[in-house]
Amino acid sequence: MTTELVSFLSKCFNTAVVNVIYFLFCKNVYGAKDYKKIVFVLACIASTCLTILVNRANNPYMNIICTYAALNVISVLLFNAKFKTAWLYNTLLWFLSAFCDTITVIAWSAVRG
């Protein structure tokens, strides 16, 4: 029970940090569209919650695909990114995310035994 709770909380924290980093990355690379800050905060919270829900399905392939789709949708809807050029940056960031996800799974597998 305790291990499951710690695992869930660490996955939530990891997801939140990755989403904040991605939003800051997009802001610096693409520039933000003219929305109020609350829109970006709510979008980050919604993205984090949706990613956590996808994580709860325990399907790593679906997790990776949904993460990549979310990266592209967020960058086009909230930032001044054109899809034709943004997918390259998003692909690089997606590989980084997949690598971090793999490291997290390996670390918790080692902790659990």
Side-chain angles (χ1 to χ4, degrees):
M1 177 70 181
T2 305
T3 307
E4 292 176 12
L5 180 63
V6 171
S7 176
F8 175 73
L9 291 176
S10 68
K11 287 179 183 179
C12 291
F13 180 74
N14 181 32
T15 302
V17 169
V18 168
N19 278 332
V20 168
I21 289 171
Y22 181 69
F23 271 74
L24 292 174
F25 170 80
C26 284
K27 181 182 174 188
N28 290 332
V29 172
Y30 306 125
K33 289 187 178 177
D34 294 330
Y35 296 126
K36 294 182 179 181
K37 285 188 179 183
I38 191 72
V39 172
F40 292 100
V41 171
L42 292 175
C44 188
I45 291 170
S47 174
T48 301
C49 291
L50 289 173
T51 306
I52 290 169
L53 287 175
V54 171
N55 268 343
R56 297 291 294 163
N58 290 327
N59 185 345
Y61 299 116
M62 184 174 72
N63 187 13
I64 290 172
I65 291 169
C66 288
T67 301
Y68 185 67
L71 293 176
N72 288 315
V73 169
I74 289 169
S75 62
V76 172
L77 291 180
L78 295 176
F79 298 97
N80 296 320
K82 295 183 180 181
F83 182 74
K84 291 181 181 180
T85 57
W87 72 270
L88 179 62
Y89 289 120
N90 292 339
T91 302
L92 292 173
L93 202 58
W94 176 71
F95 277 121
L96 177 66
S97 175
F99 178 73
C100 289
D101 191 39
T102 304
I103 294 298
T104 303
V105 169
I106 290 171
W108 280 111
S109 295
V111 168
R112 287 184 174 174

